[in-house]
Amino acid sequence: GAVVSQHPSWVICKSGTSVKIECRSLDFQATTMFWYRQFPKQSLMLMATSNEGSKATYEQGVEKDKFLINHASLTLSTLTVTSAHPEDSSFYICSANQGGHYEQYFGPGTRLTVT
Amino acid sequence: DQQVKQNSPSLSVQEGRISILNCDYTNSMFDYFLWYKKYPAEGPTFLISISSIKDKNEDGRFTVFLNKSAKHLSLHIVPSQPGDSAVYFCAARHGTSYGKLTFGQGTILTVHP
């Protein structure tokens, strides 16, 4: 149980285009989903927290107009990187938890490369 | 401000011996602690957790110890196996953070056959 999937697993896009990453909880309903990014040899940095049906809460320093998050249902959250630039290249990971549970279950991650 | 710190970037252990990974925190409002294991280019996998009202939690080869007065927790793996080689992250949950976790920098564990 507690499986989280992400799609795509890797994507290459050109500078200036937008990329959408999907995060799905496959066998449970996720009241809250989280989006992280990880640079090589660094820790996971929380970007934003999203709750189903409400606006995402962004961490300090994260541009909400650049990283659009939509949590349309209890099993799906999407992260759209708008007008991507090479510095947005990173490993993006989502996680989800069930209401009342503290453990977060992570997706496999999405490698984004912007050329 | 690094509220969760893993001061050892790496640890090397012989197969069959004990691995001890350490984690320190500064925020006394953290009420739940978790350990995750991560392979390159994959998402973290949940290992074990402990509530701040306990000082020990055990699950098979994995035991987590919490010393609240020292704001220190450790993960013990006994016996260590080559398949345990990965990056280990400790994470802490703030009591009022709505589930948000703060992660340490990670420790690379290498278990030699």
Side-chain angles (χ1 to χ4, degrees):
Chain A
V3 178
V4 177
S5 71
Q6 273 183 250
H7 178 82
S9 54
W10 59 270
V11 57
I12 301 172
C13 71
K14 294 197 174 192
S15 189
T17 61
S18 295
V19 173
K20 181 187 281 190
I21 303 169
E22 290 187 350
C23 176
R24 292 181 186 272
S25 57
L26 299 185
D27 52 2
F28 67 100
Q29 293 189 324
T31 51
T32 307
M33 286 185 167
F34 305 86
W35 286 95
Y36 296 82
R37 66 188 294 183
Q38 184 185 29
F39 292 103
K41 298 185 180 180
Q42 293 190 26
S43 185
L44 287 81
M45 185 193 83
L46 179 66
M47 298 174 66
T49 302
S50 74
N51 293 290
E52 185 261 341
S54 61
K55 288 185 179 180
T57 302
Y58 290 81
E59 294 299 301
Q60 195 171 14
V62 178
E63 299 175 62
K64 60 182 180 182
D65 294 330
K66 180 168 188 60
F67 298 100
L68 300 179
I69 292 171
N70 184 278
H71 193 157
S73 75
L74 285 171
T75 59
L76 173 65
S77 176
T78 60
L79 168 68
T80 302
V81 183
T82 62
S83 187
H85 290 287
E87 57 265 30
D88 298 325
S89 299
S90 189
F91 191 58
Y92 292 86
I93 312 174
C94 72
S95 70
N97 66 1
Q98 293 174 268
H101 293 260
Y102 294 159
E103 292 83 9
Q104 286 183 26
Y105 297 95
F106 285 81
T110 297
R111 169 72 59 194
L112 169 63
T113 302
V114 184
T115 61
Chain B
D1 175 26
Q2 189 74 33
Q3 296 187 58
V4 179
K5 293 183 182 179
Q6 292 175 256
N7 291 315
S8 298
S10 63
L11 174 67
S12 183
V13 171
Q14 203 69 30
E15 180 179 8
R17 308 293 285 264
I18 184 171
S19 295
I20 300 176
L21 298 114
N22 294 303
C23 180
D24 297 295
Y25 62 96
T26 57
N27 193 331
S28 57
M29 295 298 290
F30 288 142
D31 66 349
Y32 200 77
F33 303 89
L34 309 90
W35 283 94
Y36 286 86
K37 174 182 178 181
K38 185 181 182 301
Y39 295 111
E42 292 185 13
T45 302
F46 169 73
L47 276 177
I48 192 169
S49 61
I50 187 167
S51 164
S52 61
I53 62 173
K54 295 187 176 180
D55 55 17
K56 177 182 175 181
N57 188 26
E58 190 172 354
D59 183 2
R61 296 186 299 116
F62 302 93
T63 303
V64 56
F65 295 92
L66 175 63
N67 183 332
K68 279 187 67 178
S69 60
K71 294 191 175 68
H72 176 85
L73 64 154
S74 60
L75 174 68
H76 292 210
I77 306 174
V78 182
S80 301
Q81 300 172 354
D84 295 330
S85 298
V87 181
Y88 288 78
F89 289 96
C90 71
R93 176 189 178 273
H94 191 289
T96 60
S97 70
Y98 218 45
K100 191 167 73 173
L101 297 179
T102 301
F103 282 83
Q105 310 94 310
T107 297
I108 301 171
L109 173 65
T110 304
V111 181
H112 298 283

